[in-house]
Amino acid sequence: MPRSVLITTATLVVIAALGGFWLGQRQVTLDATGVIEAVAAIHEDTHGGNASDCVGWPGKGRVVFHVRCAGMLYAVDRFGRVEIVLEDGI
């Protein structure tokens, strides 16, 4: 195999490895307070109310956190996506 092909291949492998390492280091860690505050801000923007009325607890399975704000239940997955589970439910 020509030397230039080996050098090019090795360079591409190193660049891919460094890119993978960099993306792995950027993984976001979720803390309960930050998640509850973020969901409370979303709730305030869309439905009004007071952010201090929101409470959260750990979830199970694909849901990392559940947050309840004024009768609405939100689910937060490990990627930070927020979806409404129940509206006006208890």
Side-chain angles (χ1 to χ4, degrees), residues 30 57-66 75-81 83:
L30 298 174
W57 62 92
K60 292 182 183 176
R62 68 175 192 86
V63 176
V64 178
F65 288 98
H66 289 288
V76 182
D77 68 6
R78 66 185 178 112
F79 299 112
R81 293 182 294 222
E83 62 182 60

Side-chain angles (χ1 to χ4, degrees), residues 28 45 52 57 69 72 87:
V28 177
D45 290 344
S52 63
W57 62 92
C69 296
M72 298 189 70
E87 289 188 51

Side-chain angles (χ1 to χ4, degrees), residues 9-31:
T9 303
T11 303
L12 291 174
V13 167
V14 169
I15 290 172
L18 289 173
F21 179 76
W22 179 70
L23 289 173
Q25 293 299 312
R26 289 186 47 200
Q27 180 179 1
V28 177
T29 57
L30 298 174
D31 66 324

Side-chain angles (χ1 to χ4, degrees), residues 40 42-51 70:
I42 292 170
H43 180 77
E44 275 186 321
D45 290 344
T46 56
H47 302 287
N50 192 358

